[in-house]
Amino acid sequence: MTSTSTPEQFADVAATTLLRFATAGSVDDGKSTLVGRLLHDSKSVLTDQLEAVEAASLKRGQEAPDLALLTDGLRAEREQGITIDVAYRYFATPRRRFILADTPGHVQYTRNMVTGASTAELAVVLVDARNGVVEQTRRHAAVAALLRVPHVVLAVNKMDLVDYAEPVFAAIAEEFTTYASELGVPEITAIPISALAGDNVVEPSANMDWYGGPTVLEHLETVPVSHDLTACHARFPVQYVIRPQTAEHPDYRGYAGQIAAGAFRVGEQITVLPSGRTSTITAIDALGESVDIAWAPQSVTIRLADDIDISRGDLLAPSGDAPATSQDIEATVCHVADQPLTVGQRVLLKHTTRTVKAIVKEIPSRLTLDDLSQHPEPGQLVANDIGQVKVRTAEPLALDAYADSRRTGSFLLIDPADGTTLAAGMAGESFATAKAVAVADPADDEGWDF
């Protein structure tokens, strides 16, 4: 049986029907209220959910329902009136479906913003019109730029508290746009709103007739978004080797996993990395049936013509488009742990389904958010720092540049002692340059210096 659709058709449908986006901003800028307003005014809230919010609001002495409670689901969040964890919400309008990640504003939870924005095609960065652009605003813009989020919306919130003044909005929009453009954000759209009153969220505001742009929802419904992972370099991280060895399937040997990017076809020659051995795809099994072609993000089992040594963590790629392997990685990282990351520290590096030992060989610079300058040789990175690192791994890895593939160009640095995630890395990324290094540095120390 052959597949009934093509990857191109799949990408076209996905691009017009689904948008993944994240909200970010400083504390009390109104992110959860904006999300609640979007859900409420687009009629995406069930009756029992709204009744629960109304009851919780009355218990807290509020006459009107607090729409922020639609996303602040943790008890600690409701008690403190802040967002702590990423809240994912799914809603739809007649024009598009949405997966929304409402991320926290506190500096200590910047790591959660990294999580929420890592798969987003659009980020909504809120700014309190009374406070303007603050350090956390700049940090979130930097994270969005590093994560290659293609569209950023600046939502200048609480315009009702500044008498809907156009000059206030214009000054904030100009400052943020200049800053984000220097970071390399490709598209920035500024919208003046009041999430509490509903101005320019779903319906146009009668209080800001000087603004002629789209509402937040209108922009979300119409922004062009490409989900075409099939146009990327084809990559298949092996998650599991299937060998049933039954009487019915005595010789079956398949490699199961999720296609990270691109498409694979029966008859195609592939290279197994990091070993470099080659073979040919003889069959692709998807949902228990054989298909001639499969593409990202499908989960499939690939069978090859040759019995070669392949295990979890290996990467299959077309022989004519295989990434280079290296034990030396230069990357930009967002440090997300409370404990610092230091030169000489032993870590685990997780890339797709592969986890290897590694050592932090150098921390060349740390980004200064105020003026985007690089602070050289900081010696360590602490929580929420963004900096350059050079890492040496115990085994070769096949990383793409993050600019080419967000899926196979990213990795995590993990504490080997307790499994804590230390940093999220983007291979080859830098605000100044994007390059990879491959410098031999032979040494040994209990299997950690490579």
Side-chain angles (χ1 to χ4, degrees), residues 222-242:
T222 57
V223 63
V225 177
S226 174
H227 294 261
D228 194 5
L229 291 174
T230 63
C232 302
H233 305 288
R235 303 289 186 259
F236 181 76
V238 176
Q239 183 173 355
Y240 187 70
V241 180
I242 299 177

Side-chain angles (χ1 to χ4, degrees), residues 197-360:
D199 293 286
N200 283 338
V201 178
V202 172
E203 300 294 336
S205 171
N207 298 305
M208 291 180 279
D209 53 6
W210 45 263
Y211 173 74
T215 65
V216 173
L217 182 61
E218 183 182 353
H219 184 70
L220 294 177
E221 288 181 324
T222 57
V223 63
V225 177
S226 174
H227 294 261
D228 194 5
L229 291 174
T230 63
C232 302
H233 305 288
R235 303 289 186 259
F236 181 76
V238 176
Q239 183 173 355
Y240 187 70
V241 180
I242 299 177
R243 292 199 66 191
Q245 295 181 311
T246 61
E248 185 179 359
H249 302 287
D251 300 320
Y252 188 97
R253 185 184 183 97
Y255 308 99
Q258 183 183 48
I259 300 175
F264 289 87
R265 295 169 172 79
V266 172
E268 185 175 24
Q269 186 180 59
I270 57 92
T271 297
V272 181
L273 299 169
S275 69
R277 295 175 180 173
T278 61
S279 187
T280 302
I281 298 176
T282 58
I284 301 175
D285 300 326
L287 299 176
E289 299 178 338
S290 294
V291 297
D292 291 335
I293 182 173
W295 55 87
Q298 291 180 320
S299 295
V300 299
T301 300
I302 292 178
R303 288 184 276 165
L304 304 178
D306 306 288
D307 285 337
I308 55 181
D309 184 12
I310 300 175
S311 59
R312 175 182 172 85
D314 286 341
L315 185 76
L316 307 187
S319 294
D321 187 29
T325 60
S326 176
Q327 290 179 254
D328 295 278
I329 299 167
E330 182 175 353
T332 297
V333 301
C334 297
H335 190 64
V336 299
D338 293 328
Q339 64 189 91
L341 184 72
T342 59
V343 175
Q345 186 171 346
R346 302 174 180 184
V347 296
L348 297 176
L349 190 152
K350 178 174 173 54
H351 173 246
T352 62
T353 57
R354 189 178 188 85
T355 302
V356 300
K357 293 180 179 180
I359 291 180
V360 179

Side-chain angles (χ1 to χ4, degrees), residues 2 6 71 84 89 120 135 139 148 150 190 254 271 340 357 371 441:
T2 59
T6 67
T71 55
I84 294 175
R89 291 295 180 266
E135 181 182 7
R139 180 176 283 109
R148 296 276 174 166
T271 297
K357 293 180 179 180
D371 58 5
D441 187 14

Side-chain angles (χ1 to χ4, degrees), residues 45-56:
V45 181
L46 298 177
T47 302
D48 59 340
Q49 290 177 311
L50 187 58
E51 290 175 350
V53 167
E54 290 173 343

Side-chain angles (χ1 to χ4, degrees), residues 83-139:
T83 301
I84 294 175
D85 201 1
V86 180
Y88 290 96
R89 291 295 180 266
Y90 308 86
F91 70 101
T93 68
R95 303 177 72 176
R96 181 171 269 175
R97 293 181 296 116
F98 302 94
I99 299 177
L100 179 156
D102 181 30
T103 70
H106 279 256
V107 173
Q108 71 190 88
Y109 301 124
T110 301
R111 68 196 78 176
N112 302 67
M113 190 267 178
V114 174
T115 300
S118 62
T119 58
E121 291 91 25
L122 181 145
V124 179
V125 178
L126 269 78
V127 170
D128 188 325
R130 299 169 299 175
N131 302 327
V133 176
V134 297
E135 181 182 7
Q136 190 69 340
T137 310
R138 292 190 289 269
R139 180 176 283 109

